[in-house]
Amino acid sequence: MVRVVYPDLIGADRGRDVLVGHLPSACGDGLSFCRAVYHTTPRGDVVPVAGGLDAGLPDVCVHPDLDTLKPLPWEPGVAWCLGDTRDPLTGSPAPESPRAVLRRVLARIGEYAGDDGLSPVVGPELEYFLCDASPGAASGWTPYGGATGNVYSAGRRGDPDGHLLRTLRQLDSLGIGAIAGNHEFDGGQFEINLHHSDALDAADRAFFFKAAVKETARHEGRLATFMAKPFNGLGGSGFHVHLSLVDGDGRNVFDDPQAEAGLAATARHAIGGVLRHAPALAALLNPTVNSYKRFGPDTLAPWLIDWGLDNRSAMVRIPPERGAGTRLELRLGDASANPYLLVAGTVAAVLLGLRDKPEPPAPLEGYGYNETSAPRLPGTLDEALDALEADEALTGLLGDGFTRAFLTYKRNEIERYQHAVTDWEFGEYAFLI
């Protein structure tokens, strides 16, 4: 069996299991899916995005990418591969396809950077919460392990059932470049690092990673969630991305030992581009209503549009390594972000920085979160979507078709949220009013 999967707009894996004997037909003719899968909410509603309901729910065609084929260690006899989504009439990539959006951005490197030989190198870092079923809890789930204070630890102290060891071994067998992992700040929270590689491969592996962690948790009867902030009183989960640029000879063009802080003009302009387009990036990197409950002072999640040298309270951190290790770490994203859109948006902002050459302000000194020192990021998804729509330079790289679909889908999410009665509202108002 081959499981052909592809990411939808929110990064969830959609797919189909294909018997091996029918794989040649699937590769040649593709697998038909309703295009409205891109417009379907986690609760199963179809959002009226142009090209879906209004067009009579037409098909898209998914073609397996066998270069990404990987045996699934937890499903004997099953291999996994990505699929590329195309319009069956034109053969062009579906405009909503996140993988196609990233490819579109990467194809513009020479035009925006003035050098066709440049390649982004990306290293993803993701956090998630592992949860046990708890019928008495409001959500039906509580953090696994429970105990807090085990930040940056390994072993049974914060992981009594050995989840992390099992997961790391499964990921290693899957071959997606998992390096190491640890218990994170809060009870039930873990972080696993993936090695760096070219941008498309890194996004592919981050997508496989999220799907694999969720699937292996299901095999344990648990829930692994990459939700930005799933629990009151606990922190959120981040999706940090390390990014550098190398030339055709493999030299890191961010590095310049003679420049201030060892950062070449290319690195400064890349930082300037990310800062300039940060409000629009928030819509892609913090893509849910819940995302903005992760932000705020003293959260170690970005709140302001700033950068610093080895400063974890800044939105853009420059780690201390230089030479081949010179890079920026964008700490804006949360774990709910679609890996393809996170990487595409970040690379697009960097390319715009290389084209427009904005100089960043002085780096943050000391502990951040002083809002008199730098502009604030959008405080809600609504504000971030408005910023994305207004940023024509960034959306021009992402593509008009994708941008329209994403904005429509996400504004519908806000509308649905505004009409939903929450547990907080009932507890706040029902008994005394």
Side-chain angles (χ1 to χ4, degrees):
M1 200 80 68
V2 173
R3 181 165 297 165
V4 182
V5 298
Y6 58 97
D8 66 8
L9 272 179
I10 61 174
D13 53 299
R14 308 285 181 171
R16 185 170 296 162
D17 287 335
V18 180
L19 289 160
V20 169
H22 294 273
L23 188 60
S25 173
C27 291
D29 301 329
L31 301 167
S32 293
F33 287 83
C34 179
R35 181 179 170 184
V37 71
Y38 282 120
H39 317 150
T40 302
T41 74
R43 296 176 183 265
D45 302 312
V46 179
V47 178
V49 175
L53 284 171
D54 65 328
L57 300 171
D59 274 352
V60 289
C61 202
V62 177
H63 290 262
D65 180 355
L66 296 185
D67 288 340
T68 65
L69 194 68
K70 303 175 188 301
L72 290 184
W74 59 85
E75 291 279 14
V78 180
W80 218 358
C81 78
L82 289 166
D84 285 316
T85 313
R86 303 175 191 165
D87 184 313
L89 298 178
T90 67
S92 301
E96 299 96 334
S97 167
R99 204 169 186 231
V101 171
L102 177 53
R103 282 194 173 117
R104 186 180 302 121
V105 171
L106 295 174
R108 307 287 293 277
I109 287 176
E111 175 186 345
Y112 278 71
D115 186 347
D116 284 317
L118 289 182
S119 299
V121 177
V122 172
E125 291 181 1
L126 287 114
E127 298 168 341
Y128 63 94
F129 275 90
L130 185 69
C131 307
D132 284 320
S134 178
S139 65
W141 299 91
T142 54
Y144 154 79
T148 57
N150 292 317
V151 60
Y152 291 166
S153 66
R156 301 296 171 121
R157 187 176 71 194
D159 182 9
D161 193 35
H163 159 81
L164 184 60
L165 292 177
R166 284 196 306 279
T167 302
L168 283 170
R169 289 178 176 130
Q170 296 274 36
L171 294 173
D172 186 51
S173 298
L174 188 58
I176 60 170
I179 300 171
N182 56 265
H183 191 283
E184 249 299 331
F185 198 88
D186 286 301
Q189 189 181 37
F190 297 89
E191 178 180 50
I192 292 178
N193 303 127
L194 306 177
H195 75 71
H196 57 273
S197 66
D198 70 82
L200 181 61
D201 178 71
D204 285 343
R205 291 185 296 105
F207 170 71
F208 272 136
F209 167 79
K210 291 180 73 172
V213 168
K214 288 185 283 189
E215 186 70 0
T216 54
R218 293 181 191 112
H219 278 253
E220 297 179 4
R222 294 186 167 114
L223 169 70
T225 180
F226 291 86
M227 185 176 171
K229 187 176 172 65
F231 299 105
N232 288 315
L234 299 181
S237 292
F239 185 166
H240 300 166
V241 61
H242 294 250
L243 184 142
S244 61
L245 284 174
V246 298
D247 62 19
D249 296 323
R251 185 183 70 85
N252 187 328
V253 300
F254 282 178
D255 179 56
D256 183 353
Q258 307 305 315
E260 185 177 357
L263 298 175
T266 305
R268 296 197 315 273
H269 298 151
I271 295 165
V274 171
L275 297 180
R276 176 176 288 183
H277 298 280
L281 284 179
L284 302 172
L285 278 60
N286 310 110
T288 70
V289 170
N290 175 259
S291 294
Y292 297 83
K293 298 176 181 179
R294 169 178 165 264
F295 288 162
D298 302 317
T299 60
L300 289 182
W303 190 47
L304 304 175
I305 301 171
D306 54 11
W307 75 286
L309 299 169
D310 197 15
N311 191 327
R312 282 182 169 81
S313 63
M315 187 191 79
V316 177
R317 169 180 173 255
I318 306 301
E321 295 88 350
R322 293 296 180 266
T326 309
R327 64 194 187 277
L328 63 83
E329 178 193 6
L330 180 56
R331 299 172 61 81
L332 175 60
D334 68 64
S336 69
N338 182 324
Y340 295 97
L341 302 184
L342 181 146
V343 175
T346 305
V347 172
V350 166
L351 293 182
L352 290 166
L354 299 188
R355 184 192 70 176
D356 301 333
K357 297 181 171 47
E359 286 290 339
L364 171 69
E365 298 284 348
Y367 191 54
Y369 303 110
N370 176 4
E371 67 177 308
T372 65
S373 66
R376 279 189 64 171
L377 285 158
T380 64
L381 179 59
D382 203 14
E383 290 177 22
L385 293 174
D386 287 346
L388 178 64
E389 185 173 29
D391 194 333
E392 295 180 358
L394 191 75
T395 59
L397 275 166
L398 300 174
D400 291 340
F402 161 75
T403 302
R404 286 193 299 270
F406 185 81
L407 290 171
T408 301
Y409 182 94
K410 284 295 171 180
R411 283 179 170 143
N412 178 271
E413 177 179 325
I414 294 168
E415 183 179 349
R416 287 183 287 115
Y417 173 74
Q418 289 172 337
H419 286 89
V421 178
T422 65
D423 293 339
W424 182 90
E425 290 168 286
F426 191 88
E428 185 78 2
Y429 305 125
F431 299 98
L432 292 179
I433 293 177

